[in-house]
């Protein structure tokens, strides 16, 4: 990659900036309103480091890598974080009970109308509270963002969502049955083990393409993207709840059904806005999941990221908690009617490739 590989960025030209400025000013107002929401509820706003020893350990998240050089010339790999999650959970272990963080985060291989290599993630955590409390937070934040922007609805690509309406709460299994005709949980054992061939057969019957080397998770993701997500968050918000435990990342299993986890995602206008967990605090189980994810990353992409041993040690002290990550820029987009994420970013990253 050379300097000539970067395409000119016109966002700083006065005429272009004048067109973008209303979105940017609305962004500032929404940022202040959301910060006020958390402050009024005794949340402490924290500021976490961007440089981390591990950027996260999910197979399909791609980090920006760099290198730390000591004063004596020693070198060590470092990464720009894909989320402030590890640092925030260490703060919970340290004794904080309610925290919120507006963090710049970095994800490689992502660029498009809803994706940017650097964006702002709003994360918040409630120690000792259920993840249903986060659902209430999400509903309140949607309404607050729209109200602050002076809008009666959230909009994207001609679609609308009433942020003041009671959200639909739908389990992933219910969504698979409704929109794809797939009995998802028939392919998940009480132990959490998954039946790849069983899901492949059901997906093929639903008209989903299945490749010979697709794993269960690949097929699951394809059904979500092709059949489920296009139906979520229209008219009113959707809370997509109870993901299979194998798709739980850092979420604890549900006490109601061991096949699923305390994880939900929030959708409006077909756009995923937030991802929330009842947080896993079992360090051994978390390590096992990280190792599975990194094995999958090695299989697909030929690379892995280190595991943050500090984070696993902190889990031993971390209280039961729930946490949510919300794409702040996407929320601003929907509240202002912007068509692309770069319209609501003050200084977008230069386009560095085709």
């Amino acid at each position: 990659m050379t300097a000539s590989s970067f395409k000119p960025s016109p966002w700083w030209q006065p005429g272009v900036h004048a067109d973008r400025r209303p979105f940017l000013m609305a962004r500032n107002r929404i940022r202040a309103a959301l910060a006020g929401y958390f402050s009024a509820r005794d949340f402490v706003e924290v500021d976490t480091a961007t440089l981390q020893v591990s950027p996260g350990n999910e197979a399909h998240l791609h980090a920006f890598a760099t290198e730390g050089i000591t004063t004596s010339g020693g070198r060590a790999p470092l990464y720009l974080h894909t989320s402030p999650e590890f640092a925030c959970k260490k703060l919970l272990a340290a004794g904080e009970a309610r925290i919120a963080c507006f963090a710049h985060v970095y994800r490689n291989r992502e660029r498009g109308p809803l994706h940017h290599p650097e964006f702002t993630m709003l994360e918040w955590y409630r120690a000792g509270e259920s993840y249903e409390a986060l659902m209430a937070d999400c509903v309140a934040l949607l309404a607050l963002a729209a109200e602050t922007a002076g809008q009666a609805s959230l909009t994207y690509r001609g679609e609308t969502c009433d942020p003041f309406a009671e959200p639909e709460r739908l389990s992933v299994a219910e969504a698979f049955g409704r929109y794809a005709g797939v009995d998802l949980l028939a392919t998940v054992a009480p132990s959490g083990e998954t039946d790849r061939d069983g899901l492949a057969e059901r997906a093929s019957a639903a008209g989903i393409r299945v490749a010979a080397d697709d794993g269960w998770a690949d097929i699951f993701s394809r059904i979500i993207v092709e059949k489920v997500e296009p139906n979520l968050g229209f008219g009113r918000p959707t809370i997509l709840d109870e993901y299979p435990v194998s798709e739980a990342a850092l979420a604890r299993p549900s006490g109601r059904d061991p096949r699923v986890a305390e994880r939900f995602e929030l959708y409006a206008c077909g756009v995923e806005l937030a991802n929330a967990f009842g947080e896993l605090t079992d360090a051994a189980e978390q390590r096992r999941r990280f190792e599975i994810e990194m094995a999958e990353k090695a299989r697909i992409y030929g690379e892995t990221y280190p595991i943050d041993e500090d984070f696993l040690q902190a889990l031993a002290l971390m209280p039961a908690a729930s946490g949510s990550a919300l794409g702040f820029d996407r929320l601003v987009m929907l509240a202002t009617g912007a068509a692309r994420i770069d319209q609501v970013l003050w200084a977008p990253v230069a386009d560095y490739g085709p």
Side-chain angles (χ1 to χ4, degrees), residues 237-285:
T238 298
I239 291 173
L240 188 65
D241 190 18
E242 296 187 341
Y243 277 69
V245 72
S246 62
E247 298 296 308
L250 292 88
R252 61 186 172 231
S254 168
R256 188 190 64 78
D257 184 341
R259 297 175 296 175
V260 299
E262 291 188 358
R263 175 188 176 190
F264 75 83
E265 292 193 330
L266 174 70
Y267 287 83
C269 302
V271 177
E272 177 204 337
L273 290 175
N275 186 22
F277 302 149
E279 302 293 351
L280 181 67
T281 55
D282 181 332
E285 172 62 13

Side-chain angles (χ1 to χ4, degrees), residues 49 261 292:
I292 289 172

Side-chain angles (χ1 to χ4, degrees), residues 27 31 101-105 118-122 326-330 341 345:
R27 175 195 178 93
R31 166 69 167 80
C101 178
F102 287 87
H104 277 233
V105 299
E118 179 179 353
F119 62 98
T120 298
M121 183 176 285
L122 166 59
L326 182 145
F328 175 69
D329 313 289
R330 288 186 179 184
I341 194 169
L345 301 176

